[in-house]
Amino acid sequence: MNKKRIIAILAFSAALAVAGALAGCGRSDDAGGGGTMTLTNVSYDPTRELYKEYNELFQQHYRETTGKDIRIIQSHGGSGSQARSVIEGSKADVVTLALAHDVSLIERAGLIHEGWQGDFANDSAPYTSTIVFLVRKGNPKGIRDWDDLVKPGVSVITPDPKSSGGACWNFLAAWSWGLDHFGGNEIKTRAFMTDLYRNVTVMDSGARGSTTTFVENGQGDILIAWENEALYSMREYPDKFDL
């Protein structure tokens, strides 16, 4: 596949997320090019359920508008890790990542055209989200705000900012609260961040890994998460968690 045909559809420039493909991308499943088109979407961790539903609708729409079938392969992992895999040769027709920075790294590698953020509305970031706290039912540690996360005995679960886009947004949300709380004092904010990460007991490589650690493995008192990831956990286990 021509490297230039990789199209970035997602920026994440405040707390935003993902979508879409472009005509001309993809690969035909047969040598003659008349078979089913295949698109590979390299995306970040918490979009698995979104694309499972969205892809079915897109496949139906594609069939109705072109008369042809399309197959979509999903690839998920930490946003930073996914960006590196594409740069190192992973075949992608679409990348939908958690950070504009991760998409820009792929652009700098020559795999996406310059100015990709201008191809779609809202800097190619189709929807917004936010960062929330997911706690055990009844909130036994009384966690209400960021300063509660630095108290002794509070076990925090958040992914690794080196590999996870969600982790970067968690970090920036905490940093923003610190600057506001301490009147713009960066020294106090840095001290707060140090205390916060001292309380992080498990740092997975991706947001979904952290959800698994907290929800299924029962570790930690609080999960810092995307709102959609927290809501998904509450739907799966309605009697175990509070938001």
Side-chain angles (χ1 to χ4, degrees), residues 97-114:
L97 301 177
L99 294 169
H101 170 72
D102 291 333
V103 181
S104 294
L105 289 177
I106 302 174
E107 177 190 333
R108 286 201 284 273
L111 303 179
I112 301 171
H113 67 272
E114 289 186 34

Side-chain angles (χ1 to χ4, degrees), residues 17 30 34 37 54 57 73 77 92 95 100 104-105 110 128 138-139 150 192 216:
D30 66 13
M37 180 75 76
Y54 181 85
L57 297 173
I73 299 172
V95 293
S104 294
L105 289 177
T128 63
N139 194 14
V150 300
F192 161 73
E216 297 183 15

Side-chain angles (χ1 to χ4, degrees), residues 91-154:
K91 291 183 178 180
D93 300 298
V94 183
V95 293
T96 54
L97 301 177
L99 294 169
H101 170 72
D102 291 333
V103 181
S104 294
L105 289 177
I106 302 174
E107 177 190 333
R108 286 201 284 273
L111 303 179
I112 301 171
H113 67 272
E114 289 186 34
W116 57 269
Q117 285 176 296
D119 287 349
F120 299 93
N122 301 313
D123 293 325
S124 293
Y127 63 74
T128 63
S129 185
T130 191
I131 299 301
V132 301
F133 298 161
L134 188 69
V135 298
R136 309 281 172 199
K137 197 70 177 179
N139 194 14
K141 293 294 179 77
I143 296 166
R144 298 292 177 188
D145 211 338
W146 289 97
D147 51 350
D148 293 321
L149 304 192
V150 300
K151 293 178 178 178
V154 174

Side-chain angles (χ1 to χ4, degrees), residues 19-100:
L22 216 59
C25 297
R27 300 172 297 280
S28 175
D29 284 353
D30 66 13
T36 301
M37 180 75 76
T38 297
L39 282 177
T40 299
N41 177 13
V42 175
S43 192
Y44 60 109
D45 259 342
T47 63
R48 302 166 195 265
E49 290 75 27
L50 165 69
Y51 280 118
K52 186 175 184 296
E53 295 184 20
Y54 181 85
N55 289 345
E56 293 180 3
L57 297 173
F58 182 77
Q59 287 167 322
Q60 179 181 343
H61 170 76
Y62 190 84
R63 189 179 304 113
E64 291 173 351
T65 54
T66 69
K68 299 178 181 180
D69 289 323
I70 189 168
R71 184 167 69 102
I72 304 173
I73 299 172
Q74 295 181 213
S75 170
H76 298 275
S79 184
S81 300
Q82 291 288 76
R84 286 191 294 274
S85 74
V86 172
I87 293 169
E88 292 167 2
S90 173
K91 291 183 178 180
D93 300 298
V94 183
V95 293
T96 54
L97 301 177
L99 294 169

Side-chain angles (χ1 to χ4, degrees), residues 159-179:
D160 187 346
K162 293 180 180 179
S163 55
S164 167
C168 292
W169 291 112
N170 293 351
F171 184 98
L172 289 173
W175 179 267
S176 177
W177 179 89
L179 284 179

